[in-house]
Amino acid sequence: MPDYGFGDYLQFVLSGLSTGSIYALVALGIVIIYSVTGIINLAQGEYTMLGAMFAVTFYKWGLPLPLAFAASVIVVILIGMLIERLTVKPVRSASPVTLIIITVGVSIIIRGVALLIWGATPYSLPEFTPGAPLTLFGAILSRQRLWIMGVTALVLALLYYLLERTLLGKALRACAINQTAASFMGVSPGQMSLLSFALSAALGAVAGIVIAPLTLVSYNMGLMLGLKGFVAAVIGGLVSAPGAVIGGLLLGVIESLSAGLISSGMKDAIAFLALFVVLLWRAEEVTPRLRSLLRRQSEVEG
Amino acid sequence: MAILQIEKISKQFGGVAALKDVSLDVEEHRITALIGPNGAGKTTLFNIVAGTFPPTAGAVRLAGQLLNGMQAHERVQLGIGRTFQNALLFDNMTVLENVMVGCHPRSHTGIVACGLRLPAMRREEEFIYLEAMKYLNLVGLGLHTDELASNLPFGQQRLVAIARSLAAEPRLLLLDEPAAGLNALEKMDLIDLVRRIQEMGVTVLLVEHDMTLVMQLAEWIAVLDAGRKIAEGTPAEIRRNRQVIAAYLGEEEA
Amino acid sequence: MNIGRFWHRAPNVFGLILFAIFLAITPLWVQSNYLLSTAIFIGIAAILTLGLALLMGYAGQISLGHAAFYAMGAYTSAILTVKFAYSPWLAMALGVLITGTLAYLIGKVIFRLSGHYLALATLALGVIVFLALGEFRGLTGGPSGLPGVPQLTIGGFSFDNDVKYYYLVWAVFWLLLAFSLNVVNSRIGRALRAIHASEIAAESVGVDASRFKLRVLVLSAVYASLAGSLYVHYMRFVSPQPFDFNASVRLVVMAAVGGLASVWGAPFGAAAVILLTVLLRDTLPFFIKNASGEHTVIVYGVILVLIMIFMPEGLTSGLLKRRRWPSFRSKK
Ligand SMILES: Nc1ncnc2c1ncn2[C@@H]1O[C@H](COP(=O)(O)OP(=O)(O)O)[C@@H](O)[C@H]1O
Ligand SMILES: [Mg+2]
């Protein structure tokens, strides 16, 4: 193993945090849809691909980068809403298995259509502010990575404001807690479902666009990002927005460290092993035997 | 001897206290009724005894054995059977199959023996079939075996549910509002059925709103109101109890 | 034995006999080698689909990484026979054992959680196994694969042509179908259907829901492992590519098309999807220039979504009426 100094570790952590920001955004999208509708949306990764693809396309058409960014997010939001109306609304009361399969089907369709439109050759998007990388305590960080973290922070702030401070956010949260009760209060679960898809599409698109300059943009980039988003969401508990963010950042750092310290080939596998560890831990948490053991313990004491 | 001991059970649902410090002993072989206005916590108490969810505090014992922490299916093995207020049959299965599932705790063939239809499995299937038929005949539904459970009228669905629980040969049977929606004739049949169940050696604890039925059937009555046990005694005692009368009058006025 | 109850089983018994006759005579009129080899692939896929249909339809759980179990069987057979010169049959048995154990361990953890974590866990398993197949070159041969897998033989008899292999694969499928039908029509099948209808009610009559879900998961993994072994001994070669995420999705499509309400749908789902793939591969380039195999997945996606929206019980049972018994029984 090479001899790493503080700068190298800082480097791993910082680049891990920036990749983790992407996972956090994807995970947030998953958590929002899951809390509001109960659907495990396996098509979430495709929004990142669409966001990146449309941004590249608009940029190629000659739109300035910020405009291409905005236009892409809007288009992806519309696509997310369209998907909700076409595939989720007709089957609101279907079984979870049915709903999961539908989202798998949707992701295949999106990927296939993207292949038809954009082909298999990867595209690239320029960095938002090109220039030499920055150095910080011996760690080298590209400017785009700062953009990623900055944009993620901004999006999180906006999301927090939307969920906590606006009436719409309250309605959304009410729906996440109890659909029936929310509908008594005049909140329409159908509309909230639509809103949740719009929001997560936006989050996914933003994630895809900010990471695009660092990776190549191709029709199948969404699959892995979506899966990583899932791992992050599950680490965070699947229903908690702060949990999703922490899960995403944690996953990014773990990956970056293991790529640096173990092998970059195993990086992806480690992310999924992390999922197993989390599931194991959560399962133990609810193990009845453990619970009864604890209870017996307290009975002895009390 | 008390077959079921409910000790200081409390249950919180979020902010709602559905049960507060409820204790109750159910004597073996005696038909005990649990009564109380809607929302008093009767079904919640059943769920806690049956292990559907854990209590916030308190303990449940069956024949002295502590049940806390045991899952619902484990409690069935120990002899607790129950029916649900809304029958909760397996809608995708026939009446006979519903009751055959009830024999589950008394059968043991594994997946391999089932897949190969080994002789032991065939024998057990035959046994399960005969047992299921026995209990279907007991509740008077021997002629409806092949109907889809969801196609039966509601009153009969509840009888299927009783047969389904009995097929596990419980020591204690919890019946949640078995008479709701039955006509006078069917109620008489039900009284007869519960008595026969008692004669089979099963202890019955039932929740029921129909006071005439309760007074005819129950040998001991406990009264819940707003999550608390407000009285307990023989039917004659309960009939005279002022608190009980007030609780019920209160409900009628509301 | 009670006559009425014999008639309950009769459709399955007659169905199995008719199906066996159909399978037996098919090679007599299918002369093309290409079709026969397609029929072999359909048979292998049908074995996989059968397990998945049990898992989805009866345990109400979904595996999005079933290709991992398939791969475990395939690679156990390939590695043990090629690198360690094991007997193919012993390797196959060990594959079943290893795969079944892995499924057991996963299910043991997952089914303690309520909700649909199995989909996520198997999805992760699929990715991990696929990555590992490419990564551990020493054992698996990496992305370029492992050639030289021996033929299957029994005594002096060798399954060395497509007709013989066709009969082998479909005989295995037929046996597994019979086994599955027996399971479905036993206390275990009833318990599973009960769990599907209402987990609370099933628990209230003593059915341990997570235990039965676990058993079905293991059973379906065992089927997948067997299919994997049959696959490598037919191809005589193995590489990671047939076990990617798309493969897992294709299996879910087969199960969904075949229908989740009956194990009879499995061969139809497998046949429909494979024949459609062949058809698309041959015709799609006429409609879309440069169309590749990847484009055909759009069609899967559309089929999957449409079936789940309009016929969540699957195509076979959506088309045939959902009556389980012959219609001489009156229905009020
Ligand atoms: N699963 C639950 N979640 C939240 N509150 C519940 C739940 N079950 C029961 N309650 C509440 O507990 C109280 C008692 O209900 P229940 O036991 O059903 O009453 P009863 O059967 O006596 O009519 C009610 O206020 C009811 O709203
Ligand atoms: Mg009640």
Side-chain angles (χ1 to χ4, degrees):
Chain A
M1 194 164 82
D3 206 9
Y4 288 123
F6 173 73
D8 298 298
Y9 284 105
L10 187 65
Q11 166 106 41
F12 292 143
V13 171
L14 285 176
S15 65
L17 284 178
S18 69
T19 315
S21 304
I22 301 295
Y23 299 158
L25 291 177
V26 179
L28 264 177
I30 290 165
V31 164
I32 290 175
I33 290 184
Y34 184 73
S35 332
V36 175
T37 67
I39 295 172
I40 294 184
N41 181 24
L42 289 166
Q44 188 65 24
E46 306 312 322
Y47 297 141
T48 60
M49 181 272 291
L50 289 175
M53 279 295 192
F54 278 111
V56 167
T57 308
F58 293 145
Y59 182 70
K60 275 194 173 166
W61 288 355
L63 249 55
L65 203 52
L67 267 184
F69 190 133
S72 167
V73 172
I74 290 169
V75 170
V76 177
I77 289 178
L78 292 177
I79 293 175
M81 292 167 78
L82 185 70
I83 289 172
E84 198 274 348
R85 286 291 104 156
L86 286 181
T87 67
V88 174
K89 185 161 178 269
V91 290
R92 294 263 18 200
S93 56
S95 77
V97 171
T98 305
L99 291 167
I100 292 176
I101 297 178
I102 287 177
T103 68
V104 171
V106 167
S107 78
I108 303 177
I109 296 173
I110 296 180
R111 215 159 38 239
V113 171
L115 180 65
L116 270 185
I117 298 177
W118 288 293
T121 40
Y123 299 82
S124 61
L125 195 67
E127 293 207 8
F128 292 3
T129 49
L134 310 171
T135 321
L136 185 78
F137 301 114
I140 302 165
L141 208 63
S142 73
R143 288 160 190 248
Q144 188 62 30
R145 290 206 176 267
L146 288 182
W147 270 108
I148 292 178
M149 290 190 264
V151 170
T152 302
L154 184 70
V155 168
L156 291 185
L158 277 175
L159 193 68
Y160 177 82
Y161 177 79
L162 179 76
L163 290 181
E164 300 288 326
R165 295 274 181 272
T166 67
L167 215 56
L168 205 59
K170 288 207 178 93
L172 205 60
R173 280 186 299 141
C175 226
I177 294 165
N178 187 333
Q179 290 222 345
T180 331
S183 62
F184 285 147
M185 288 153 49
V187 176
S188 146
Q191 279 175 12
M192 290 305 120
S193 162
L194 187 62
L195 178 64
S196 73
F197 270 78
L199 262 181
S200 6
L203 290 167
V206 169
I209 300 168
V210 291
I211 190 124
L214 291 185
T215 61
L216 290 174
V217 179
S218 71
Y219 76 99
N220 58 8
M221 70 183 274
L223 183 60
M224 210 36 130
L225 278 177
L227 297 185
K228 299 286 180 63
F230 260 106
V231 178
V234 173
I235 292 178
L238 207 53
V239 287
S240 147
V245 175
I246 293 168
L249 295 178
L250 202 62
L251 182 64
V253 173
I254 293 174
E255 260 191 29
S256 160
L257 283 174
S258 54
L261 302 178
I262 305 170
S263 105
S264 60
M266 291 310 289
K267 176 185 88 172
D268 290 334
I270 282 169
F272 292 103
L273 286 178
L275 178 67
F276 277 111
V277 173
V278 172
L279 289 177
L280 189 72
W281 178 70
R282 295 201 42 194
E284 281 313 316
E285 203 180 34
V286 299
T287 304
R289 200 156 297 153
L290 195 69
R291 265 191 315 188
S292 68
L293 197 74
L294 290 175
R295 192 164 294 125
R296 244 165 255 158
Q297 199 81 38
S298 65
E299 209 179 42
V300 172
E301 284 162 12
Chain B
M1 202 200 73
I3 184 168
L4 178 72
Q5 293 163 288
I6 297 169
E7 297 165 4
K8 299 195 166 169
I9 289 285
S10 296
K11 179 71 187 178
Q12 294 275 136
F13 288 112
V16 183
L19 290 173
K20 292 167 224 158
D21 235 2
V22 174
S23 296
L24 176 67
D25 279 0
V26 176
E27 283 298 310
E28 189 157 21
H29 301 311
R30 184 155 83 178
I31 297 177
T32 306
L34 185 62
I35 62 171
N38 273 322
K42 306 179 295 292
T43 300
T44 306
L45 191 63
F46 270 20
N47 281 331
I48 286 169
V49 171
T52 309
F53 43 64
T56 313
V60 178
R61 285 173 207 277
L62 185 75
Q65 185 182 357
L66 185 66
L67 300 183
N68 289 26
M70 252 180 227
Q71 290 180 298
H73 64 85
E74 294 170 311
R75 298 182 190 212
V76 180
Q77 298 278 1
L78 292 180
I80 296 184
R82 62 95 55 101
T83 66
F84 297 87
Q85 210 168 329
N86 50 356
L88 220 56
L89 293 184
F90 309 123
D91 285 346
N92 53 349
M93 300 165 77
T94 64
V95 168
L96 175 63
E97 286 173 321
N98 264 275
V99 183
M100 285 170 94
V101 176
C103 297
H104 189 86
R106 296 162 62 208
S107 55
H108 311 280
T109 317
I111 199 162
V112 174
C114 285
L116 299 176
R117 286 188 70 77
L118 296 181
M121 176 267 186
R122 293 172 195 225
R123 272 197 302 275
E124 198 170 72
E125 278 292 296
E126 198 60 29
F127 165 75
I128 291 173
Y129 168 76
L130 292 174
E131 284 296 300
M133 284 309 294
K134 180 173 103 190
Y135 289 106
L136 272 176
N137 284 325
L138 178 79
V139 300
L141 288 175
L143 296 176
H144 296 267
T145 50
D146 289 324
E147 293 208 43
L148 267 188
S150 49
N151 288 350
L152 289 185
F154 195 58
Q156 293 191 342
Q157 289 196 22
R158 257 208 283 263
L159 292 177
V160 177
I162 294 176
R164 185 177 71 179
S165 317
L166 285 175
E169 297 202 323
R171 303 173 64 183
L172 171 71
L173 182 61
L174 314 174
L175 299 174
D176 201 347
E177 301 197 18
L182 298 191
N183 63 34
L185 218 62
E186 289 168 329
K187 277 180 185 169
M188 278 168 57
D189 285 344
L190 181 74
I191 291 174
D192 193 42
L193 175 62
V194 174
R195 291 225 169 97
R196 267 181 297 155
I197 293 173
Q198 181 191 26
E199 280 160 19
M200 287 159 49
V202 181
T203 308
V204 176
L205 173 63
L206 84 159
V207 163
E208 190 43 66
H209 278 303
D210 183 331
M211 278 310 135
T212 342
L213 188 140
V214 168
M215 292 299 163
Q216 278 186 56
L217 206 47
E219 296 152 282
W220 192 259
I221 298 177
V223 189
L224 279 185
D225 184 27
R228 283 184 198 285
K229 187 179 79 178
I230 55 170
E232 182 175 5
T234 61
E237 287 165 0
I238 293 299
R239 226 190 301 250
R240 288 192 303 266
N241 187 304
R242 285 174 184 281
Q243 252 185 308
V244 177
I245 294 166
Y248 270 84
L249 284 180
E251 192 193 33
E252 266 158 35
E253 279 167 2
Chain C
M1 176 131 147
N2 177 298
I3 294 289
R5 283 171 64 234
F6 172 74
W7 283 106
H8 283 181
R9 285 186 1 95
N12 284 330
V13 174
F14 290 136
L16 279 171
I17 293 170
L18 284 179
F19 191 50
I21 294 171
F22 169 79
L23 290 173
I25 61 172
T26 298
L28 303 181
W29 55 269
V30 173
Q31 296 295 342
S32 129
N33 260 338
Y34 178 62
L35 282 184
L36 203 58
S37 131
T38 306
I40 292 173
F41 286 123
I42 292 175
I44 293 171
I47 296 174
L48 286 156
T49 309
L50 186 62
L52 205 51
L54 282 173
L55 183 65
M56 285 161 64
Y58 283 85
Q61 295 288 320
I62 173 170
S63 164
L64 289 173
H66 227 57
F69 299 127
Y70 183 33
M72 304 258 313
Y75 270 87
T76 310
S77 273
I79 293 170
L80 290 181
T81 53
V82 173
K83 303 235 161 180
F84 301 96
Y86 273 52
S87 134
W89 302 106
L90 179 61
M92 196 181 281
L94 286 173
V96 163
L97 195 69
I98 295 172
T99 312
T101 309
L102 180 75
Y104 179 83
L105 293 176
I106 291 175
K108 194 85 186 154
V109 173
I110 296 303
F111 293 139
R112 282 184 186 162
L113 297 164
S114 59
H116 278 264
Y117 286 100
L118 185 69
L120 298 179
T122 49
L123 204 160
L125 178 77
V127 178
I128 292 174
V129 168
F130 181 69
L131 290 173
L133 294 180
E135 205 65 21
F136 294 111
R137 285 156 205 271
L139 216 50
T140 65
S144 51
L146 202 61
V149 179
Q151 266 166 353
L152 284 175
T153 53
I154 295 181
F157 183 83
S158 168
F159 292 94
D160 53 5
N161 67 30
D162 279 6
V163 175
K164 291 179 191 167
Y165 217 83
Y166 166 92
Y167 282 116
L168 173 67
V169 166
W170 281 101
V172 171
F173 173 77
W174 189 89
L175 289 173
L176 293 179
L177 177 64
F179 185 91
S180 310
L181 282 168
N182 286 340
V183 169
V184 164
N185 292 307
S186 72
R187 67 186 281 270
I188 292 183
R190 286 189 299 267
L192 287 166
R193 277 189 282 151
I195 293 168
H196 215 38
S198 161
E199 201 159 323
I200 289 185
E203 290 263 337
S204 87
V205 289
V207 176
D208 183 348
S210 52
R211 177 171 153 153
F212 282 94
K213 289 179 192 167
L214 179 58
R215 288 182 178 193
V216 179
L217 176 66
V218 171
L219 190 67
S220 73
V222 163
Y223 286 10
S225 175
L226 280 175
S229 297
L230 288 173
Y231 173 79
V232 286
H233 286 293
Y234 179 59
M235 298 300 285
R236 319 277 310 272
F237 167 77
V238 67
S239 72
Q241 184 268 331
F243 309 106
D244 62 2
F245 179 63
N246 277 336
S248 291
V249 171
R250 202 152 44 231
L251 291 175
V252 173
V253 182
M254 289 175 186
V257 169
L260 308 178
S262 158
V263 291
W264 277 107
F268 298 101
V273 171
I274 288 184
L275 293 176
L276 183 69
T277 308
V278 172
L279 196 72
L280 286 175
R281 205 163 48 205
D282 296 346
T283 58
L284 211 56
F286 291 113
F287 303 108
I288 306 166
K289 260 194 303 191
N290 312 325
S292 69
E294 293 241 33
H295 287 103
T296 58
V297 300
I298 304 181
V299 180
Y300 295 148
V302 174
I303 292 175
L304 203 53
V305 172
L306 289 180
I307 288 182
M308 284 298 112
I309 292 178
F310 295 110
M311 292 177 186
E313 304 249 291
L315 210 55
T316 15
S317 50
L319 294 180
L320 307 169
K321 194 48 213 138
R322 291 170 204 152
R323 290 292 291 270
R324 279 179 304 117
W325 313 135
S327 52
F328 53 74
R329 280 164 204 290
S330 69
K331 193 172 176 181
K332 269 176 218 153

